[in-house]
Structures are given as C-alpha cells and as structure tokens.
Amino acid sequence: NLCYDYYGHMIKNFSPDGYFAQLKKFREEADKYNSPLWVTLLSIGHWDYETPNKDDFVWQISTAVASGCEGILWFSFYSEMPFFNNYRNGPINLFGERSFTYTYLSEAVREFHHFYGEQFTHLKLVKSYHIGEAYGGFPLFKEGDSDVILKVEDIKYHNPAIISFFKDENGDDYFAVVNNSRTGVARI
C-alpha cells in the first residue's frame, strides 16, 4: 500500500490546491505501481491546524474517496502529546476519555460506511473531475467527458463539487458526486 499524510486543508483560510495536488500526485503513483492508496487525514488540532468538526470529517472522507483513496488513517487518535506542544481535542483525550471530536469522527465514519462503505470496497477510480472550480491539477468536468452525464453544477449555492467515475470488478460503471466546499452546502 502507498500511504501519505497531509493536513494543510485544516488551516484557517486554506487553499485547497495543496490538498488536491497531493491526492492527485499520490493517486498517479499508486496507479503506476498498481497499489492501493491510503491517506492519513487530521483528527486532532495542533499548531495552526484547526480541530476538525463533523463537517470537516465528512469533507475529508468524501473528497479522499472521490479522489481514489481506498483507505484512511487518522492523525492522531490520542491526545497523549505534552500539553505544551499545543495538541488539542484529539478523539481520545489525555485522560483516555472519548471527546466531542471522537463523536464527530465516529458519526462521520459510521455514516459513510452505512451508506457507501460496502459499495466502495468493490470500486476502482477511473477518473475524477472538479466542478465549478478545479484544484490541485484536477481537470474541470465539461460536456463530452462522460457519455451518460452531460452537465453537473451546484444550481443554488454555486459551490465547487467533484464528480468521480469508478468501475467494479465486473466492469460495471459507477459515479459519485461530492460537495467540495468545506464550509458551504451544495445543491447538485
């Protein structure tokens, strides 16, 4: 397995370009070696990284899967770091207790698995496109990129989105559409 970590998306006023550039780069490397891609995402506030809320966990999971990640690890589950290092609000606090971050992470992961988890274990990414605004070198979806889907847009809020195409082991086609705004809603 190829696995890497990236947390730049959890800095206040972040630019999504770095996050998506890394997803694209590592997906291409994993494809080159026919290796599953895993990513380590952020579950604990520290330094200038924000503590993720539930929406942040949903966004991290959804965008990673839509970009071809087949597994997710979390940094760091336990708040065992010394207080002076500014690690805060980990899913398991310094006293070994579940924190509010644990609840957010647990709900986001369980909801994804409940609705999509089984299906995505059988899918392999074919291509990801961004909608409205492209980040990190991903192409914008345009007419002609799919013979089934002609247009995708956020018709109300005009937030960015992702559309990804997958195949299962039988060669059947699937697609996923993901809101690509960390803070806004979308009506796709």
Side-chain angles (χ1 to χ4, degrees):
N1 290 352
L2 177 60
C3 185
Y4 75 101
D5 62 343
Y6 187 86
Y7 317 128
H9 55 285
M10 290 303 303
I11 295 174
K12 207 173 276 219
N13 302 317
F14 83 106
S15 165
D17 278 314
Y19 174 71
F20 285 104
Q22 294 298 309
L23 282 168
K24 186 175 185 303
K25 173 185 170 186
F26 281 97
R27 176 73 267 157
E28 290 167 354
E29 287 299 310
D31 288 345
K32 192 185 305 183
Y33 297 101
N34 197 30
S35 174
L37 177 62
W38 287 53
V39 63
T40 303
L41 298 172
L42 190 64
S43 66
I44 187 171
H46 65 288
W47 306 336
D48 53 349
Y49 300 110
E50 299 177 58
T51 300
N53 62 34
K54 184 176 176 190
D55 291 338
D56 295 324
F57 286 122
V58 168
W59 185 85
Q60 289 184 96
I61 294 166
S62 300
T63 58
V65 171
S67 300
C69 291
E70 297 157 283
I72 296 173
L73 301 172
W74 296 100
F75 177 82
S76 166
F77 205 69
Y78 296 94
S79 296
E80 294 178 349
M81 310 292 185
F83 183 72
F84 59 84
N85 279 339
N86 195 22
Y87 284 79
R88 59 198 179 279
N89 303 319
I92 303 296
N93 69 22
L94 186 61
F95 306 105
E97 302 160 340
R98 294 177 178 180
S99 71
F100 65 91
T101 307
Y102 179 94
T103 301
Y104 295 152
L105 175 58
S106 173
E107 287 179 4
V109 168
R110 289 183 296 140
E111 287 171 7
F112 179 84
H113 280 285
H114 176 77
F115 290 108
Y116 313 110
E118 177 60 29
Q119 187 64 50
F120 272 97
T121 62
H122 303 285
L123 300 180
K124 180 78 173 159
L125 179 70
V126 174
K127 185 86 175 180
S128 286
Y129 298 91
H130 286 200
I131 299 157
E133 192 164 349
Y135 302 110
F138 278 88
L140 274 174
F141 182 79
K142 61 187 179 317
E143 188 175 332
D145 285 333
S146 169
D147 56 358
V148 176
I149 299 170
L150 301 179
K151 185 176 182 178
V152 183
E153 67 179 320
D154 180 344
I155 61 173
K156 184 169 183 178
Y157 302 101
H158 310 291
N159 279 318
I162 300 170
I163 185 165
S164 297
F165 297 88
F166 298 86
K167 283 197 178 290
D168 69 9
E169 56 269 338
N170 298 320
D172 292 329
D173 295 316
Y174 294 81
F175 70 92
V177 178
V178 171
N179 175 6
N180 198 14
S181 172
R182 234 185 86 203
T183 58
V185 298
R187 185 174 288 174
I188 306 295

